[in-house]
Each structure stands twice: as structure tokens, then as C-alpha cells.
């Protein structure tokens, strides 16, 4: 017999014999809205009071159990009941409660499942507590129930990594009781529920599980996680709160630990880091929404050609092959193509050595690679990416060859960091097919892909570039044509600001330390040594003829490059790298060069605090970012944010430079720029957009309108 009663539009219940099935139906991913929480609590209470109901089954409609909080309610006043109330009511139920999981059970979705007494999952299930990625922590018993079920070590790994765990591993950890075949969670859940009833199984609450029984092992895991979080989480707030919550789960009663968890969760909600991380989360989803992708469908993309087998070309080849695309690489001679293939194989050999890839899997991927010394090998490919030396004449010569051999409709892309793509496109008879694809090194690892849109390119070519980015699992940002596009154009300006601070009295090591203290993994002088000082030197020489003679120019980096000190690859740059060490040591000779340059210009050095360094560094970044947005080089401020989060190591919890400026307050940023302009009015010219927004009482977020 089956009876049904609709509880709310998003939660319905129906009785199947003695089992009441509660279905969460809040498309598209059954997110935990206030209506879901209310409906779930009411349905459990009604079932608990109904003598005809012997067990309760909770399932999600469709291919997802519950994927977490309802992001549409972010920032709104919370509506009762809270998720902890719902989870506690599920666990307190006097009848067995079974969660049947298909697809994602993430965040609050997993917390609902953990509050149930039994858990069964289909093979496609993925479980996780990813709140840390949004500056949060589990707040509905996750930090208390999880370690009781799986032990402190596994629980801390789940919560601090935020990773998604597949069904098989979830079963072995103890998050699940059973795996089931098929695609119907309700069928699997009813089968399991009826088995439990037949066995006379009663309630079995997670709060009573014994995962923390070995106190010494639990304490050792907590101590290790605390030390690791202090080292790795660079100023992040929520990881340490998670560790503290597991400590409380070990030391206090279940009810006290749940109460403490909620207080810590609310402290995370109030943290500015949460605002930055949530902005980053949404911005990365918004950034692919561009006018061209709405206006046109991508072209066919089944094969890729790459010109150049150096570090960048090889990295791009790996990214394409990992995405399942066959790759044809062309180099100028056989020795170069052999080197190119070796560069590609080196990446996979590294994975094999680490046990992350089998030799058979490597062989299968390398079967997608073809090397050639003849451009004619590109005659059938759908898209070619040029990755040769950063010289416009060299690139134009390559594009003339591509124009000659590539089929009609092939997309021709240049991986330039700075150069004029309109000029490169003009060297072909098909400028409508030419686009910029600016990968970041190492291209197989770095997430950012700047998609540079020249004046004459077709919309479907831009759409194809975004489709490639998605296939490669890159974060794409649409950029207009100018020197350096979004990222490197802004980088050039804040790097100048760093040089000015250097010449005015701070050491390169103090500046790097201040930038790391702000949350970057590396400071600008460390980055220069990693990338190679000769690259920046070549750019400065290229721009020398057009530089404003009145503009301040700091020559310290040139003096260092003149000595052949290009950074890690020469064992010396801003730092010394003895015996090829990765970590640099401070260099007294560099400080002597800096001092000599100051004396030459009659500069009396002064002290800078880390806070003063960062105010200048960030003001320069934000000011240039505002100019980039006003000129349409970036569609929106969020495009600037995503560029710096994904490609330049900007601390994610600060949301990106434009979000950071909003959080500090644009009037404060503008006030700083005007104060700095008293020393150097040419460099510190306030962006008109920044002045306009301050005058109107607006922020950068007001310009983040949906595109496309």
C-alpha cells in the first residue's frame, strides 16, 4: 500500500508499506533552502508520530542527493529552522532513518546524511564537506559526527581539503554502510530499509559512534592537523576553526561540541574572508558568461596543433592531451622536435615516478602526440596554438605559414603575453580566425587562460576558445588587446610601484616578506627569479623607445640582469640559489647595487612598514585595474579578480584586487592614491572610473553585471 502527502513544494513524503520515503525536490541540485529545512523537519516529526511508519527513508529527487546550501539565500537573514535543528531532529527520531545517496552529498547535504542512522549510496555518489573553500566550516554537526564515525584523522582530511570522496572510498572510511547497484536511490533505500526492519535493527545514532574512542590517536591527528594548517593555510581563518572544533568534539560531550561548532561557524560567517571566498566562487562561474559565447556556437574542436616544443609549448600539449585531444607539434628541425617530445614526456614521467600514473596510461596519452618539422602536418587540425619566442616578427612569420597550410575555418591562436594580436592577425588573410590564448606557465598546471579578443575575430572563434578552456578545465577570462592584456598590464604597474618602494628605502626582501604576509605565496622579486629576469629585461628594452622620459625609471633590475643574474636558472638573481636550490638566500651584493642606484639619484632611503608597502602595492594594482575595466580590456571588475586569483597567486580569501578594494572602501584607496601623487603625480594618476565611483558612492561590485 502506498499513501502520499505533500508536505511542501520542495519536500514530499509517500509511504511504501512501513517505510515513509521523504523526497527532497529542490531543482537543480536539491539545495538546502529554508523551505527544504522546514519541510524535512515537519516530515520527520510527522513520521515519528505516525504508528504506521516503522522506518524513514530520505532521498533526493533526480541525480543528486543534496549538493549543499542554497546559494540563492547567501547574504539573506537566516530563516528557521536552522540546519543543526533539522539534523538533530533527524538523529533524535525514535525510528530508524536511512539516507539513500545518489550523486552529490556535499556540505549540509552530507551533514543531513550523517544525522541519519544508516547510509546507503549508489556507485556514482560523491561525499564531501567542502565548506573550507568558502571560508566556512561544517556548521550542522559535521565536525562532531564525522570524527565519531571515521576517526579524527580521516575527518580532518575531509574537512581541511574540502575534497569530494567517491562512493567506494566513503564506504571504506565508514561514512557509508553499504553500496548499491543501479540508478534509483529510492529503490536502493527501500531495499535496505526493509532489510533493516526484517533484522529488527533499531536506531543507531552517529553521536554514539566510537571513532574517537582511541583518544591518543585522535589527539595525535589533531596536533598534526594543527601544525599543518598553521603552515599551509597562510592567514586563512576557517581551517584552524575546524581543527579546534574536532578538538572540542574529543574533549566535550556531543551537545557541548555541537554548540561550540555553531558558534565557530557563525564566527566564520562574519569573517571578511568568507566574503572574499564567496565572491571568488561566484566570479569564477560568471567569468565564462561573455557576449560571444551567447551569440555563437563553438566550431568543431577535435584536434590541436602546437608550434613550438619549449616549456610553454610542451605544457600546452600536455593540457590538450589530458583533455583527450590529439596533438600535432611542429618545430624547426628534428633535434628541436625531439626536445619538444622529451619536454612532454618529462611531465608524464614525473607522474609515473610519483605513482600517479601507470606506464600504460602514459603510453595511451602519448599515442595522441605527433611531432613534425613540416607545417603541412597542420593541414587537418581544427585549432593551432603558436607558442614561439616573444618577438612579433617571429610570430608574424609563423602566422603567414599557418595561413598558407591550415584548412579554411581552422582557429589560429597565439600564446603571447604582451604583443599586439591585431597586428599578428593582420599578417594573415583570415583575421576573423585569429585569437589570443595566453596560457600561464606551467601551462598544464596553471588554471588561468586569458582569451584575448582582437578587433576582427568572429564570435564563434571566441566561443571555441571558451569551449577549449572548459575542456582543459581552465578558468577562462576574456581580455581585450593592449600591451599585457589584463594580468601582465596590471602586473607591470604594481611591479613598478614595488621598484619605487625599493629605490626609496625598502629592501627587495622586505617587500617580498610584506607581500607574502598579505597572503601571496611569493613576493614580486621571488617571482621574477622564478620566471627569469631576462624576460622582464627584454620587455623593458622593447618598451624603452616609447617610455615617457618624464616617468620615473628604476634601473636596479637592469643592473642585475647586466651581470647575467637571471634568477633560479642562473643560480643568482635578486636572491642567491646555491647548488640550484629552489629557496633563495638574501644577497649582500644585490643590496649594494640597490644602494649605489639610490646614491646615483641622491635618494636618502627611508623605512617602510609592511602595511605601508602593501598600501602602495595594492593601490597601484587597483588603480590600473580600474583603468583596464574602464577601457573595456576587462568586461567587469570580477574578470580582473579572477585573472589575479587564478594566474598571479592573489590570496583567494581576499577575493581579488577589485573585491579587496571594495572591502577596504574605494574612498580609502583613492585617498591613498592622492597622497602618493604628491610625491609622483605622473605615476599616481587616479583612474577616472575610481574617482567616478567614489563620487557616486558606488563600488566595483556595482559594475559586475551579468554578460551574455
Amino acid at each position: 500500500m502506498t499513501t502520499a502527502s505533500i508536505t511542501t513544494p520542495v519536500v514530499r513524503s509517500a509511504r511504501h508499506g512501513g517505510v515513509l520515503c521523504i523526497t527532497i525536490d529542490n531543482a537543480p541540485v536539491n539545495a538546502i533552502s529554508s523551505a527544504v529545512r522546514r519541510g524535512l523537519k515537519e516530515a520527520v516529526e510527522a513520521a515519528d508520530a505516525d504508528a504506521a511508519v516503522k522506518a524513514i527513508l530520505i532521498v533526493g529527487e533526480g541525480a543528486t542527493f543534496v549538493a549543499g546550501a542554497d546559494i540563492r539565500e547567501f547574504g539573506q537573514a537566516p530563516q528557521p529552522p536552522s540546519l543543526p535543528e533539522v539534523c538533530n531532529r533527524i538523529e533524535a527520531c525514535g525510528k530508524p532513518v536511512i539516507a539513500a545517496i545518489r550523486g552529490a552529498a556535499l556540505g549540509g547535504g552530507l551533514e543531513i546524511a550523517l544525522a541519519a542512522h544508516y547510509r546507503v549510496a549508489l556507485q556514482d555518489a560523491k561525499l564531501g564537506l567542502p565548506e573550507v573553500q568558502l571560508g566556512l566550516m561544517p556548521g550542522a554537526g559535521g565536525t562532531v559526527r564525522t570524527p565519531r564515525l571515521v576517526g579524527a584523522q580521516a575527518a580532518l582530511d575531509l574537512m581541511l581539503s574540502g575534497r569530494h570522496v567517491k562512493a567506494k572510498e566513503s564506504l571504506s572510511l565508514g561514512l557509508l554502510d553499504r553500496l548499491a547497484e543501479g540508478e534509483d536511490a529510492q529503490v536502493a533505500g527501500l531495499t535496505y530499509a526493509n532489510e533493516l526492519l526484517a533484522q529488527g535493527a533499531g536506531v543507531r545514532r552517529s553521536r554514539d559512534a566510537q571513532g574517537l574512542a582511541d583518544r591518543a590517536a585522535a589527539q595525535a591527528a589533531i596536533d598534526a592537523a594543527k601544525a599543518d594548517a598553521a603552515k599551509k593555510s597562510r592567514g586563512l581563518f576557517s581551517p584552524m576553526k575546524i581543527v579546534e572544533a574536532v578538538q572540542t568534539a574529543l574533549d566535550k560531550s556531543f551537545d557541548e561540541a555541537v554548540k561550540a561548532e555553531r558558534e565557530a561557524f557563525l564566527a566564520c560567517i562574519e569573517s571578511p574572508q568568507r566574503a572574499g571566498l564567496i565572491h571568488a566562487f561566484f566570479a569564477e562561474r560568471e567569468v565564462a558568461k561573455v557576449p560571444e559565447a551567447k551569440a555563437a556556437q563553438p566550431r568543431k574542436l577535435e584536434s590541436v596543433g602546437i608550434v613550438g616544443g619549449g616549456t610553454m609549448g610542451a605544457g600546452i600539449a600536455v593540457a590538450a592531451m589530458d583533455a583527450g585531444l590529439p596533438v600535432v607539434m611542429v618545430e624547426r628541425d628534428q633535434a628541436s622536435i625531439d626536445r619538444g617530445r622529451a619536454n612532454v614526456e618529462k611531465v608524464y614521467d614525473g607522474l609515473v615516478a610519483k605513482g600517479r600514473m601507470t606506464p600504460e596510461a602514459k603510453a595511451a596519452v602519448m599515442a595522441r602526440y605527433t611531432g613534425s618539422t613540416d607545417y603541412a602536418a597542420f593541414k587537418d587540425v581544427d585549432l593551432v596554438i603558436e607558442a614561439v619566442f616573444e618577438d612579433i616578427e617571429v610570430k608574424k612569420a609563423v602566422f603567414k605559414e599557418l595561413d598558407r597550410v591550415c584548412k579554411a575555418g581552422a582557429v589560429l591562436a597565439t600564446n603571447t603575453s604582451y604583443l599586439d594580436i591585431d597586428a599578428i592577425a593582420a599578417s594573415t588573410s583570415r583575421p576573423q580566425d585569429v585569437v589570443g590564448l595566453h596560457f600561464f606557465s606551467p601551462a598544464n598546471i596553471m588554471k588561468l587562460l586569458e582569451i584575448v579578443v582582437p578587433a576582427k575575430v568572429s564570435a564563434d572563434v571566441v566561443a571555441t576558445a571558451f569551449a577549449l578552456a572548459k575542456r582543459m578545465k581552465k578558468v577562462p577570462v576574456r581580455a581585450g588587446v593592449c600591451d599585457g592584456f589584463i594580468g601582465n598590464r596590471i602586473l607591470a604597474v604594481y611591479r613598478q610601484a614595488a621598484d619605487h618602494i625599493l629605490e626609496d628605502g625598502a629592501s627587495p626582501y622586505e617587500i617580498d616578506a610584506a607581500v607574502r604576509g598579505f597572503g601571496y605565496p611569493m613576493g614580486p622579486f621571488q617571482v621574477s627569479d622564478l620566471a627569469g629576469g631576462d624576460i622582464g629585461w627584454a620587455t623593458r628594452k622593447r618598451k624603452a623607445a616609447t617610455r615617457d622620459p618624464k616617468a620615473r625609471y628604476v634601473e636596479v633590475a637592469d643592473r642585475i640582469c647586466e651581470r647575467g643574474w637571471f634568477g633560479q636558472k642562473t643560480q643568482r638573481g635578486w636572491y642567491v640559489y646555491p647548488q640550484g636550490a629552489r629557496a633563495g638566500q638574501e644577497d649582500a651584493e644585490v643590496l649594494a647595487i640597490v644602494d649605489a642606484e639610490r646614491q646615483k639619484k641622491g635618494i636618502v632611503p627611508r623605512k617602510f612598514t609592511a602595511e605601508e608597502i602593501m598600501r602602495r602595492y595594492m593601490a597601484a594594482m587597483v588603480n590600473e585595474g580600474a583603468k583596464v575595466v574602464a577601457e573595456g580590456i576587462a568586461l567587469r571588475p570580477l574578470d580582473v579578480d579572477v585573472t589575479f586569483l587564478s594566474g598571479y597567486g592573489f590570496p583567494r580569501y581576499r577575493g581579488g584586487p577589485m573585491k579587496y578594494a571594495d572591502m577596504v572602501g574605494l574612498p580609502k584607496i583613492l585617498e591613498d592614491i592622492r597622497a602618493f601623487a604628491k610625491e609622483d603625480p605622473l605615476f599616481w594618476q587616479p583612474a577616472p572610473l575610481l574617482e567616478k565611483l567614489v563620487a557616486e558612492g558606488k563600488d566595483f561590485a556595482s559594475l559586475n553585471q551579468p554578460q551574455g
Side-chain angles (χ1 to χ4, degrees):
M1 176 190 166
T2 302
T3 58
S5 62
I6 298 293
T7 313
T8 76
V10 291
V11 177
R12 63 178 185 271
S13 53
R15 192 153 61 81
H16 300 259
V19 182
L20 185 87
C21 180
I22 300 171
T23 303
I24 299 167
D25 185 3
N26 185 25
V29 292
N30 298 329
I32 310 165
S33 63
S34 56
V36 167
R37 294 195 301 275
R38 189 167 61 252
L40 194 50
K41 184 166 179 269
E42 287 171 2
V44 170
E45 284 171 343
D48 210 5
D50 185 345
V53 173
K54 306 302 178 191
I56 298 165
L57 173 64
I58 302 173
V59 298
E61 178 65 31
T64 303
F65 179 68
V66 174
D70 193 333
I71 56 179
R72 291 167 293 199
E73 294 186 4
F74 280 10
Q76 295 179 14
Q79 300 294 315
S82 69
L83 188 58
E85 286 177 66
V86 177
C87 290
N88 292 341
R89 184 64 189 88
I90 291 168
E91 191 173 60
C93 186
K95 298 166 182 179
V97 181
I98 300 97
I101 300 167
R102 181 183 177 193
L106 301 174
L110 181 53
E111 288 179 301
I112 288 169
L114 296 178
H117 305 139
Y118 301 90
R119 285 159 293 283
V120 58
L122 303 184
Q123 303 289 340
D124 71 346
K126 55 179 182 179
L127 281 60
L129 294 165
E131 291 88 349
V132 71
Q133 293 166 358
L134 296 181
L136 295 173
M137 60 183 283
T143 66
V144 193
R145 290 188 180 95
T146 314
R148 277 171 160 73
L149 283 166
V150 305
Q153 186 174 346
L156 284 161
D157 168 61
L158 270 177
M159 294 185 283
L160 292 172
S161 69
R163 69 190 181 95
H164 297 176
V165 185
K166 291 181 178 170
K168 206 167 173 184
E169 187 189 350
S170 296
L171 180 69
S172 68
L173 287 174
L175 285 171
L176 296 173
D177 299 298
R178 157 179 297 199
L179 289 187
E181 298 298 328
E183 294 184 3
D184 193 322
Q186 182 173 303
V187 168
L190 288 170
T191 302
Y192 189 34
N194 285 314
E195 274 184 40
L196 290 167
L197 289 175
Q199 293 163 11
V203 300
R204 190 198 57 175
R205 299 186 174 102
S206 300
R207 65 186 290 151
D208 301 324
Q210 295 301 302
L212 294 174
D214 185 342
R215 286 191 57 85
Q219 191 59 59
I222 292 166
D223 292 343
K226 187 179 284 185
D228 201 46
K231 193 167 63 189
K232 284 186 185 166
S233 55
R234 279 204 305 273
L236 278 171
F237 183 75
S238 65
M240 207 53 89
K241 290 286 179 197
I242 289 169
V243 177
E244 288 166 7
V246 176
Q247 183 75 63
T248 307
L250 179 65
D251 294 340
K252 300 280 176 72
S253 72
F254 180 87
D255 293 323
E256 287 175 301
V258 165
K259 185 169 177 287
E261 176 197 71
R262 193 65 183 171
E263 287 167 7
F265 173 80
L266 294 172
C268 291
I269 288 273
E270 294 304 312
S271 161
Q273 294 189 358
R274 173 184 173 267
L277 287 162
I278 284 177
H279 171 74
F281 176 85
F282 283 118
E284 283 178 352
R285 279 146 187 78
E286 205 60 37
V287 83
K289 296 175 185 173
V290 298
E292 292 88 353
K294 189 177 184 185
Q297 288 299 307
R299 294 183 184 179
K300 181 168 78 96
L301 182 54
E302 290 172 8
S303 56
V304 170
I306 295 169
V307 187
T311 303
M312 184 58 85
I316 297 169
V318 170
M321 287 154 62
D322 285 351
L325 291 161
V327 165
V328 177
M329 181 184 280
V330 168
E331 261 286 9
R332 62 181 177 273
D333 53 42
Q334 192 56 46
S336 300
I337 203 65
D338 290 344
R339 261 196 312 276
R341 183 184 177 98
N343 286 337
V344 171
E345 291 212 48
K346 196 164 106 184
V347 174
Y348 293 118
D349 288 338
L351 294 175
V352 171
K354 288 175 187 160
R356 286 164 53 195
M357 188 180 217
T358 64
E360 293 76 21
K362 178 202 161 184
V365 174
M366 286 307 299
R368 293 199 277 274
Y369 173 91
T370 308
S372 178
T373 57
D374 186 352
Y375 275 88
F378 290 146
K379 66 182 172 57
D380 295 321
V381 299
D382 298 320
L383 180 147
V384 182
I385 303 166
E386 162 276 309
V388 301
F389 187 67
E390 190 77 344
D391 178 297
I392 197 154
E393 295 310 319
V394 173
K395 289 184 187 282
K396 282 180 180 176
V398 168
F399 271 77
K400 284 194 173 78
E401 282 298 294
L402 297 179
D403 192 21
R404 184 177 64 80
V405 301
C406 290
K407 68 183 181 184
V411 174
L412 311 182
T414 174
N415 173 60
T416 177
S417 306
Y418 289 94
L419 301 177
D420 183 350
I421 300 177
D422 285 316
I424 293 170
S427 68
T428 75
S429 65
R430 43 172 125 177
Q432 73 279 3
D433 294 336
V434 177
V435 71
L437 289 177
H438 179 208
F439 288 84
F440 286 70
S441 190
N444 53 306
I445 293 168
M446 292 293 282
K447 286 291 184 196
L448 181 63
L449 178 58
E450 271 186 311
I451 294 173
V452 190
V453 180
K456 293 186 177 175
V457 70
S458 296
D460 62 347
V461 169
V462 178
T464 307
F466 274 88
L468 175 70
K470 185 176 182 181
R471 193 154 171 187
M472 287 182 167
K473 297 186 171 66
K474 300 291 184 194
V475 178
V477 176
R478 183 194 186 281
V481 175
C482 67
D483 200 283
F485 320 127
I486 297 173
N488 283 342
R489 170 172 161 178
I490 297 171
L491 164 68
V493 174
Y494 69 76
R495 182 54 215 259
Q496 274 181 277
D499 286 342
H500 297 172
I501 299 164
L502 170 76
E503 200 170 59
D504 286 338
S507 79
Y509 315 119
E510 288 170 331
I511 295 168
D512 279 352
V515 172
R516 287 196 307 273
F518 182 80
Y520 273 89
M522 302 171 81
F525 299 99
Q526 289 172 293
V527 170
S528 171
D529 275 1
L530 180 65
D534 49 331
I535 294 171
W537 193 29
T539 302
R540 292 192 298 278
K541 286 190 279 194
R542 176 171 62 82
K543 289 180 170 180
T546 56
R547 194 165 52 236
D548 185 340
K550 297 192 289 294
R552 181 175 180 179
Y553 183 70
V554 178
E555 296 176 41
V556 177
D558 296 347
R559 297 291 89 80
I560 288 171
C561 287
E562 284 161 9
R563 285 167 167 76
W565 300 350
F566 298 144
Q568 288 187 18
K569 61 187 172 188
T570 58
Q571 300 190 354
R572 202 162 186 182
W574 293 95
Y575 294 78
V576 178
Y577 302 87
Q579 283 86 50
R582 297 288 297 273
Q585 298 171 4
E586 295 182 13
D587 188 347
E589 283 190 63
V590 166
L591 295 177
I593 293 167
V594 173
D595 208 41
E597 287 298 311
R598 288 172 185 154
Q599 287 178 18
K600 198 166 79 181
K601 292 188 180 176
I603 293 169
V604 178
R606 59 193 170 94
K607 286 276 178 216
F608 286 87
T609 65
E611 192 252 351
E612 286 170 333
I613 290 168
M614 289 316 300
R615 272 174 57 198
R616 288 170 184 263
Y617 198 79
M618 288 309 304
M621 194 182 298
V622 170
N623 199 45
E624 193 64 22
K627 292 175 186 177
V628 160
V629 172
E631 291 169 27
I633 301 301
L635 285 177
R636 303 146 293 202
L638 68 81
D639 293 82
V640 176
D641 287 336
V642 172
T643 298
F644 280 86
L645 292 169
S646 300
Y648 293 82
F650 194 94
R652 191 173 177 84
Y653 67 85
R654 296 190 189 273
M658 314 312 268
K659 176 64 177 176
Y660 168 81
D662 280 353
M663 291 198 284
V664 168
L666 298 194
K668 177 79 186 79
I669 301 280
L670 182 58
E671 184 188 324
D672 276 351
I673 291 167
R674 286 175 172 157
F676 304 149
K678 289 173 184 165
E679 303 164 20
D680 186 350
L682 191 60
F683 182 78
W684 292 105
Q685 290 179 35
L689 176 60
L690 181 58
E691 292 182 311
K692 179 173 182 282
L693 289 172
V694 170
E696 293 173 358
K698 292 181 180 173
D699 59 9
F700 286 122
S702 67
L703 304 177
N704 285 331
Q705 299 305 319
Q707 300 278 328

